[in-house]
Amino acid sequence: MPVPDNIERVLELAHPPEKVWAALTTAEGLGGWFGSRAEIDDLRPGGEARVWWDQQDGHTLAIQVVEPPHRFAYTWAIDGLPAGDPHRTRVEFTLEPTSTGTRLMVRETGFARLPDDLAGAYEDNTTGWRTELTELAEYLDAAS
């Protein structure tokens, strides 16, 4: 059975887009929910960020789109591929203001192009986004 190409999630958050944007695009924000620590070298297309989970090696995020406070996208490597492998998935966050806060849409694409032996990456990332987006909501709520 072929692997789906994308993962999509939508969250309704009771926080303004600017606050959600800061959680997605600052080192403090990313390190507060997405990893145990983060660094952002340059928040612009072509820039990079790095995220660490506990003692693991950091993951580099190659920034593709920065349109405050509405759209942020990056590509990143899939766990299990050797360093330098060109296969990447693209993660895009779209923020829409609502009457109660922000609708956050997250879409990760590129799984159908991965080698067959990495088909499990789709399931791993599906589970990962479920966990991470719950942590984003908790992070935002705690910062209120």
Side-chain angles (χ1 to χ4, degrees):
M1 181 173 176
V3 173
D5 193 51
N6 63 68
I7 299 166
E8 294 181 4
R9 296 284 177 264
V10 177
L11 266 73
E12 300 291 336
L13 299 164
H15 304 281
E18 294 77 14
K19 185 173 179 180
V20 178
W21 178 261
L24 300 173
T25 62
T26 65
E28 179 183 349
L30 282 174
W33 70 273
F34 194 50
S36 55
R37 109 179 139 94
E39 295 175 355
I40 297 178
D41 295 330
D42 196 2
L43 187 63
R44 64 169 179 78
E48 288 188 346
R50 197 154 174 88
V51 180
W52 289 263
W53 284 268
D54 299 319
Q55 301 303 316
Q56 293 181 355
D57 291 338
H59 292 284
T60 299
L61 315 178
I63 300 170
Q64 306 291 304
V65 177
V66 179
E67 297 173 3
H70 305 289
R71 203 164 144 241
F72 177 58
Y74 58 83
T75 60
W76 63 344
I78 295 294
D79 283 338
L81 290 174
D85 187 288
H87 291 94
R88 300 281 183 271
T89 59
R90 176 184 166 102
V91 176
E92 184 165 332
F93 299 91
T94 305
L95 294 77
E96 290 180 3
T98 66
S99 61
T100 58
T102 304
R103 178 174 297 115
L104 176 65
M105 292 157 286
V106 182
R107 184 171 191 223
E108 184 173 10
T109 61
F111 293 97
R113 296 184 301 261
L114 295 177
D116 289 342
D117 61 331
L118 290 176
Y122 176 82
E123 290 303 323
D124 291 346
N125 285 28
T126 298
T127 300
W129 282 117
R130 190 174 303 115
T131 301
E132 296 297 348
L133 293 174
T134 297
E135 291 176 6
L136 170 61
E138 291 170 352
Y139 171 80
L140 289 166
D141 291 346
S144 293

